[in-house]
Amino acid sequence: MGLTKSETEVIALFQKGDKQAFDQLYDTYAPMLLGAIGRVVPDPKLAAQVFQQSFIYIWQNRTSYNPEKERFFIWMNKCALNIAVSIANGLEKETNNPKSENQDTDFYVSNKNS
């Protein structure tokens, strides 16, 4: 489904908080954004989480979009990728426990000859 008004008009309404404009943008760009997220986040459950968080972020930060700086989809994609990286970093911190049972932490030997 394409936008019924020009993209510029819909984005301007969206930035003012118009939920119908948001719905139009969602319908237009959601498949492409989900595809972009899926290429970066192969886990479908995590990709869905990134997708959902992305649209929440996009709505909450709609006034920060600057059409003179970049196209709308590029801005949305950057938002989504930043969220993907944040979520991935959070998961990495959870799984990388430096004192796991399989890791010997008493092997360090100083090279200083004091």
Side-chain angles (χ1 to χ4, degrees):
M1 176 177 141
L3 299 176
T4 57
K5 298 179 182 180
S6 78
E7 181 180 47
T8 305
E9 291 173 314
V10 174
I11 291 169
L13 290 169
F14 161 71
Q15 287 188 294
K16 292 177 183 176
D18 185 301
K19 293 188 180 185
Q20 287 181 330
F22 176 77
D23 289 345
Q24 281 187 286
L25 292 169
Y26 180 91
D27 290 345
T28 300
Y29 294 113
M32 291 184 289
L33 189 61
L34 186 56
I37 292 168
R39 286 188 291 280
V40 175
V41 182
D43 180 310
K45 288 181 182 179
L46 186 57
Q49 183 182 358
V50 170
F51 178 75
Q52 181 179 17
Q53 290 297 317
S54 297
F55 272 99
I56 291 169
Y57 180 88
I58 288 164
W59 174 257
Q60 292 173 339
N61 294 279
R62 65 190 177 274
T63 58
S64 69
Y65 169 66
N66 181 355
E68 294 175 8
K69 189 175 178 183
E70 60 198 345
R71 295 201 58 205
F72 188 69
F73 182 74
I74 300 299
W75 176 75
M76 291 175 61
N77 200 41
K78 286 180 182 178
C79 293
L81 294 178
N82 286 337
I83 290 167
V85 168
S86 294
I87 290 173
N89 285 341
L91 291 174
E92 186 176 314
K93 286 178 184 176
E94 288 177 15
T95 58
N96 287 337
N97 183 353
K99 295 210 176 205
S100 70
E101 294 177 16
N102 297 331
Q103 185 178 14
D104 183 5
T105 58
D106 296 328
F107 66 90
Y108 178 75
V109 178
S110 173
N111 287 332
K112 286 185 175 180
N113 293 328
S114 334

